[in-house]
Amino acid sequence: MGRTKLLRYCFLLFWICLIQGCDPDRVFEEYTGMESLQWDLNDTVTFRLNPAQTEPVVATVGIRYNDSFDFHNLYVRYLIRDSTGKSLEDSLINIALFDSKTGRPLGKGFGNVYTKYDTLSLTRLQENQALQVQFIQYMRREQLGGIEAVGLKVYAQP
């Protein structure tokens, strides 16, 4: 009888975790991993969006990094282009990855891998208009070690 209760408890816990992992407000989420755990100067990370709704959105870039990253911040240039290639946005952002005073990693994670999110200025999508979002590292190093992945998340605004 004790084993049956334990199995039921585990099954219930599994379903609760599964349901909480689903996010109905998510419009888009994708990550591109860096094969050699470094972001080369010439590597442009590109995501293609084909939105089906026009509601207001919040877009974030996610940087997955480890403790071998040599700096406390990361400069990233991002470009948003429409389906014809016309530039809609071209900005440089500074993402703090480590606290400048204590050296502690910022963001969420465990072990030596963390993910830090920063908000982009993309706030509205045009229905059925394809967008291309590109990220380029602007740290002036040929190979920027410690970067494991770059991602883009787009959520419907609450």
Side-chain angles (χ1 to χ4, degrees):
M1 186 82 166
R3 183 177 175 154
T4 305
K5 281 187 176 184
L6 180 63
L7 286 174
R8 285 183 185 170
Y9 177 75
C10 289
F11 184 73
L12 180 64
L13 186 62
F14 169 76
W15 278 107
I16 289 172
C17 291
L18 184 66
I19 289 170
Q20 285 184 345
C22 298
D23 188 356
D25 295 332
R26 183 177 11 201
V27 176
F28 179 87
E29 181 175 5
E30 188 176 316
Y31 280 84
T32 299
M34 305 300 177
E35 291 181 22
S36 59
L37 301 181
Q38 61 188 14
W39 194 353
D40 291 339
L41 186 62
N42 298 324
D43 287 347
T44 300
V45 179
T46 303
F47 299 99
R48 299 186 194 299
L49 290 164
N50 291 312
Q53 66 261 12
T54 59
E55 58 202 32
V57 296
V58 175
T60 60
V61 58
I63 305 294
R64 190 168 297 140
Y65 64 101
N66 59 45
D67 59 4
S68 68
F69 187 71
D70 289 333
F71 304 97
H72 72 87
N73 65 333
L74 173 66
Y75 285 98
V76 176
R77 179 179 173 202
Y78 74 93
L79 298 106
I80 302 173
R81 300 178 191 271
D82 65 10
S83 58
T84 64
K86 179 183 173 190
S87 180
L88 304 173
E89 179 80 27
D90 185 347
S91 295
L92 182 67
I93 56 176
N94 179 13
I95 304 169
L97 299 180
F98 293 91
D99 185 281
S100 60
K101 293 182 181 178
T102 65
R104 283 192 192 161
L106 302 172
K108 296 180 179 180
F110 59 92
N112 71 337
V113 179
Y114 301 89
T115 303
K116 178 73 179 346
Y117 297 98
D118 202 345
T119 305
L120 304 176
S121 65
L122 179 65
T123 58
R124 187 162 289 283
L125 302 174
Q126 299 294 323
E127 189 171 357
N128 298 322
Q129 178 190 20
L131 291 178
Q132 183 179 22
V133 181
Q134 299 177 313
F135 297 102
I136 306 162
Q137 66 101 340
Y138 256 55
M139 295 296 288
R140 299 185 190 147
R141 292 189 82 176
E142 286 295 320
Q143 297 176 330
L144 190 58
I147 302 295
E148 296 189 7
V150 177
L152 175 66
K153 286 186 177 185
V154 180
Y155 289 94
Q157 202 170 47

